[in-house]
Amino acid sequence: MSTGFGKDVHVSRHWRRTLPFWTALMLATGCETAIRERDTRPSIVFIIADDLSWEHLGAYGSTEVRTPNIDRLAAEGIVFTNSFVSTSSCTPSRASILTGRNGFELSQGATLWGYLPIRLATYPDLLEAAGYRVGATGKGWGPGFLMDRDRNPAGLLYSQIESDPYGHLFDRTEVSKVDYAANLDAFLEEAGEDPFAFWIGTYEPHRGYTPGLANALERPGPGSLSVPPFVPDEPAVREDLNEYLAEVEHIDGQVGRVVEALGKHERLDNTIIVFTSDNGMPFPRAKATLYDHGTRMPLVFWWGDRPVPGRTVTDLISHTDLAPTFLEAAGLEVPEEMSGRSFLSQVLSDRNGEIDAERDRVYLYRERHAWCCEDGVTFASRAVRTRDYLLIWNANPDVLPADVDGGPTRTALTDGRERYPELYNLTFGRRPEFELFDMRRDPYQMRNLIGDASHADVAEALRADLFAYLEARGDPRMSDSEAQFTDTPYFGFLFELGLLKWSDDRDGRRFSEAEISELLRQAYEAKGEEEAFRRVARREGWND
């Protein structure tokens, strides 16, 4: 088993040499009869990174990061260049992927550190009911509490096998010790020849980072990096970006080993492999925002020789479309309550570029990410993103957008607010009710065109379209029912205060409703949020 980055590179190179000959190899080793006897429905391996923006892969044009394994999947599959999450916050983003529904439709599942009610079916649930083996490793749905579920919504967790790939270099690293590929291998040992759906959630490149990992991986120096114009170009920021990209390279090594595990079990011939992320890079004006560096994701779709390889599709895809696509590929009906639409026709097309002219926009939302304001008040937004424009509606513009991930880049921005007043204001300043950006001329969304007479018609048309969609989908913000978002449990307090220490058996399954209520009461009171807890308790029915 590989335990070091150098070995991972060796494995991935071997895979890249041999993968095109996989079918011939199977026939030569007498596997043809076994293939015919298997269930012909495709298996699905869904790989989701944690906090990765779309542009930081070689397949998306980056020359600053080495991702040969993901790039190989892209070269033999399809690259979707306009893929967007429903929201740029990990818990609700993952919930939207699993349920195929806009996050604002998910009640207690719409915010970070909430819970996903059992009444909301997930695609793993539906596939399992249809005879699929279902499992997950690493970061599944979360962080949050399970409440009325007896397993993670992404599937039964296989995360017991661990390794320390950089233990010979550092006394302690921030890279997860969960061995994603080894746990997939263990799952496949049990799955036999049944079709399966397996979720691989990497904990990288989420903060924190390991100082020196970029150097250990022999990455180019940070001085050669390009720095997004919405953050200060300072040495500390460049080093921060370099450590972020080092973790992206770590993920790529894991992807190579995942493909090797599939090959070992002779499961590459009819397995869909999808690579994406849950939200954007954990930097100011990216993660937890509705700007592109928060919402625009990589989406690589590989399915052996089924799709015409090496294609690039520019249709706008929402992550809510993933569950319907997986279900259609498995021959199942897509539930009517799903807001997403299958893009299997795009996968099986032989065309590049725009395939479906009606896929010209996606809808985005933002509710509470972290608890940054008293009483659970949050900076809430909705948006519509087309090929050319992004229109954002800030539902409560009097609230400051304070929940920005910490780290050297945030520190550089806050400490340098007098040197970078415009950049500081872009991230932490008060925002108007509406923002409009021309994506062709302003790809980093730094010039708001609301109030520009030449864009008045565009702004009004997009505003009307956004509100019509939110009304049609029953967004609580359209009916002054925002308490559905603010008065939902915030389980993050339990771990922030040390009342619980996170582990797979401390995620809510072992607690009764009364125990959960009492834990939250203690946590809210310790934070001085007694009234907020009383509203949560009333909504959950804990006072009855």
Side-chain angles (χ1 to χ4, degrees), residues 142-163:
F145 245 44
L146 295 186
M147 291 288 284
D148 49 4
R149 294 178 181 267
D150 59 5
R151 73 175 188 199
N152 193 285
L156 182 66
L157 288 179
Y158 287 71
S159 293
Q160 296 86 353
I161 303 174
E162 296 185 342
S163 63

Side-chain angles (χ1 to χ4, degrees), residues 13-61:
R13 286 174 181 166
H14 173 73
W15 166 60
R16 296 203 313 275
R17 288 198 305 269
T18 59
L19 185 57
F21 305 104
W22 179 249
T23 301
L25 175 63
M26 292 187 67
L27 294 177
T29 54
C31 297
E32 184 178 9
T33 301
I35 293 173
R36 283 200 304 265
E37 293 175 352
R38 289 176 182 166
D39 190 319
T40 59
R41 295 177 297 175
S43 294
I44 300 163
V45 173
F46 181 66
I47 308 172
I48 181 168
D50 195 358
D51 295 6
L52 170 64
S53 293
W54 88 100
E55 64 179 356
H56 298 128
L57 297 174
Y60 285 81

Side-chain angles (χ1 to χ4, degrees), residues 411-530:
T411 299
L413 193 56
T414 54
D415 289 353
R417 68 185 70 183
E418 294 184 359
R419 297 194 303 279
Y420 310 107
E422 293 183 4
L423 296 183
Y424 180 85
N425 190 59
L426 279 173
T427 292
F428 296 105
R430 203 171 302 280
R431 296 174 193 170
E433 183 177 8
F434 290 98
E435 299 174 77
L436 176 69
F437 301 98
D438 185 335
M439 305 306 299
R440 300 161 300 182
R441 296 182 174 87
D442 184 18
Y444 293 98
Q445 302 99 66
M446 298 178 70
R447 181 177 173 234
N448 184 9
L449 296 175
I450 290 293
D452 183 333
S454 65
H455 289 84
D457 290 345
V458 170
E460 178 53 30
L462 290 176
R463 186 201 66 80
D465 175 79
L466 174 61
F467 284 3
Y469 180 81
L470 298 178
E471 288 275 9
R473 295 302 308 182
D475 185 345
R477 287 275 172 194
M478 301 304 292
S479 58
D480 296 324
S481 301
E482 62 269 20
Q484 182 162 321
F485 306 116
T486 59
D487 297 351
T488 193
Y490 185 77
F491 290 101
F493 285 157
L494 301 181
F495 304 94
E496 176 186 336
L497 295 169
L499 295 177
L500 291 178
K501 183 177 180 181
W502 181 260
S503 66
D504 285 343
D505 63 351
R506 304 292 282 181
D507 57 9
R509 286 175 292 174
R510 310 286 188 223
F511 297 93
S512 68
E513 183 179 279
E515 289 171 328
I516 292 172
S517 173
E518 176 59 21
L519 281 168
L520 277 177
R521 183 192 64 76
Q522 295 176 31
Y524 274 71
E525 288 184 355
K527 298 291 290 187
E529 297 285 358
E530 293 90 342

Side-chain angles (χ1 to χ4, degrees), residues 149-387:
R149 294 178 181 267
D150 59 5
R151 73 175 188 199
N152 193 285
L156 182 66
L157 288 179
Y158 287 71
S159 293
Q160 296 86 353
I161 303 174
E162 296 185 342
S163 63
D164 190 1
Y166 310 110
H168 61 294
L169 299 173
F170 302 96
D171 292 334
R172 180 179 180 277
T173 71
E174 297 296 335
V175 173
S176 173
K177 289 183 173 57
V178 175
D179 192 323
Y180 311 118
N183 284 292
L184 169 63
D185 182 79
F187 169 83
L188 292 174
E189 289 286 352
E190 298 180 8
E193 296 185 354
D194 292 337
F196 66 87
F198 197 76
W199 170 297
I200 299 176
T202 75
Y203 288 98
E204 300 82 24
H206 193 288
R207 295 184 184 276
Y209 300 140
T210 304
L213 181 61
N215 185 59
L217 300 188
E218 298 181 349
R219 279 192 46 76
S224 63
L225 294 177
S226 57
V227 178
F230 49 77
V231 294
D233 188 351
E234 292 190 353
V237 174
R238 288 179 169 273
E239 190 61 46
D240 201 19
L241 286 166
N242 211 28
E243 298 298 354
Y244 157 77
L245 294 175
E247 291 210 354
V248 177
E249 293 188 356
H250 167 79
I251 293 172
D252 185 76
Q254 307 309 303
V255 171
R257 292 184 55 233
V258 163
V259 177
E260 182 190 44
L262 290 168
K264 170 188 171 183
H265 289 273
E266 302 181 356
R267 300 306 296 262
L268 276 171
D269 60 300
N270 191 26
T271 293
I272 292 169
I273 304 175
V274 171
F275 179 87
T276 190
S277 178
D278 63 350
N279 52 249
M281 58 194 296
F283 286 73
R285 208 167 170 83
K287 178 182 177 180
T289 77
L290 300 188
Y291 309 116
D292 266 22
H293 277 77
T295 61
R296 191 175 177 185
M297 297 293 103
L299 180 61
V300 174
F301 198 107
W302 186 93
W303 192 1
D305 60 0
R306 299 296 180 92
V308 176
R311 292 166 45 231
T312 298
V313 175
T314 61
D315 291 8
L316 273 74
I317 302 294
S318 169
H319 272 28
T320 60
D321 300 333
L322 286 163
T325 302
F326 295 155
L327 294 175
E328 184 181 1
L332 301 178
E333 291 188 9
V334 177
E336 292 184 0
E337 59 267 23
M338 288 189 175
S339 56
R341 295 183 295 147
S342 170
F343 57 89
L344 193 62
S345 60
Q346 278 80 0
V347 171
L348 299 178
S349 171
D350 60 358
R351 295 163 51 195
N352 281 292
E354 180 183 297
I355 297 174
D356 181 356
E358 293 186 0
R359 283 189 176 271
D360 63 348
R361 63 198 60 211
V362 291
Y363 300 93
L364 316 167
Y365 89 101
R366 184 198 187 283
E367 285 292 339
R368 185 178 65 214
H369 179 62
W371 192 289
C372 292
C373 303
E374 291 184 2
D375 209 31
V377 173
T378 184
F379 179 76
S381 303
R382 304 291 187 267
V384 55
R385 171 67 155 84
T386 68
R387 296 179 187 277

